[in-house]
Amino acid sequence: MTLKEISDSRPLGRPVPDWKAPPAPSGEPLCGAYAEIEALDPDRHAAALFEAFAGHDSVWDYLPYGPFDTREAYADWTRKVAEDPALRFYAIRNLASMRWEGVASFLRIDPPAGSIEVGHINFSPALQRTRAATEAMYLMMDWAFSRGYRRYEWKCNALNGGSRRAAARLGLSFEGIFRNHLVVKGRNRDTAWFAATSEDWPALKEAFGAWLTPSNFDARGMQIRSLASLTEPVLVARDPAG
């Protein structure tokens, strides 16, 4: 029996010809019209980020760390994660305010599989619901797919409705719930999984471009077309909690 006959008789998955593993993130700066991101540097970013998060303890509710009582404690944490070879943390600057107002990280970086996850996303209230916040997520997705990654993952606490809605808005398809997945801060965590693939990306990139264009915002800065309406046709599965 030939290889083709074997493939025809059993479902073995589609071929991925000329597959080459993409590079791991090196932390180069990424800049757009509304946001820029840099590799997290405790000396450069920690103080500003601590101030952006100060007094907003709820932003830490679904993260496995925080809130931090002092600037020094937060700086120690940034130093630890910045040095972790399994992570690539970024600080996010809102170009409207020229302030560092959030963080996000690549993790579960698996170049041989072409898979990468975005997580540890923490946007201060000043960054939330801004064009800069959306563009920062776009910049990270664009980096991954332009380098050859095939799969871009997003995972969150299944009780975190805001994160689940954000994933769908960004065009990541719902893939299910992992029950009793983790214990975080002494509590059970069921985890909701989302992902976009390289096949999804051309349409998603076009959707981001249409949303981010200045003509999509009126004189008050209000969006004319929502990003969700532009990415919704790309979703292959929708979150029932969305």
Side-chain angles (χ1 to χ4, degrees):
M1 181 177 287
T2 68
L3 288 176
K4 183 180 186 306
E5 288 171 330
I6 292 172
S7 179
D8 290 344
S9 66
R10 298 201 302 272
L12 300 178
R14 60 181 172 82
V16 183
D18 304 317
W19 168 244
K20 182 179 180 181
S26 63
E28 68 264 35
L30 303 174
C31 189
Y34 308 108
E36 65 179 3
I37 64 177
E38 293 183 1
L40 182 63
D41 180 333
D43 295 330
R44 178 167 165 75
H45 305 127
L49 288 167
F50 178 80
E51 293 301 323
F53 295 132
H56 306 289
D57 286 358
S58 62
V59 300
W60 304 97
D61 283 353
Y62 294 108
L63 291 167
Y65 41 76
F68 297 91
D69 293 331
T70 65
R71 183 181 289 104
E72 291 73 20
Y74 182 71
D76 286 344
W77 174 83
T78 62
R79 195 168 293 108
K80 177 181 177 182
V81 297
E83 294 172 353
D84 189 333
L87 303 170
R88 174 60 73 182
F89 259 85
Y90 294 91
I92 300 168
R93 177 150 65 178
N94 185 344
L95 294 180
S97 65
M98 293 304 292
R99 294 178 179 144
W100 301 100
E101 296 177 346
V103 300
S105 179
F106 286 131
L107 66 156
R108 288 173 55 91
I109 302 162
D110 189 352
S115 178
I116 194 167
E117 180 179 344
V118 64
H120 298 283
I121 299 166
N122 197 359
F123 293 168
S124 70
L127 185 61
Q128 293 170 16
R129 300 181 178 276
T130 65
R131 278 179 266 187
T134 296
E135 188 176 51
M137 293 293 93
Y138 162 74
L139 290 170
M140 293 182 73
M141 291 178 76
D142 186 55
W143 182 91
F145 286 120
S146 69
R147 297 308 189 277
Y149 282 87
R150 305 173 60 238
R151 175 176 171 82
Y152 191 85
E153 297 181 335
W154 175 299
K155 302 183 184 73
C156 63
N157 190 311
L159 297 176
N160 188 347
S163 185
R164 291 174 69 160
R165 289 188 294 273
R169 174 178 175 268
L170 294 170
L172 288 90
S173 295
F174 178 68
E175 295 189 333
I177 302 291
F178 276 33
R179 297 175 298 161
N180 289 2
H181 183 219
L182 297 168
V183 177
V184 177
K185 294 178 178 176
R187 297 179 181 271
N188 175 67
R189 170 174 146 164
D190 296 345
T191 297
W193 288 53
F194 300 81
T197 68
S198 53
E199 292 82 3
D200 303 329
W201 181 240
L204 289 177
K205 185 170 185 175
E206 184 176 341
F208 278 106
W211 188 83
L212 288 165
T213 189
S215 62
N216 189 45
F217 296 87
D218 64 21
R220 299 174 298 158
M222 302 298 292
Q223 66 181 358
I224 296 169
R225 296 188 67 188
S226 71
L227 181 60
S229 71
L230 294 164
T231 59
E232 194 272 342
V234 185
L235 300 179
V236 299
R238 292 160 181 79
D239 185 355

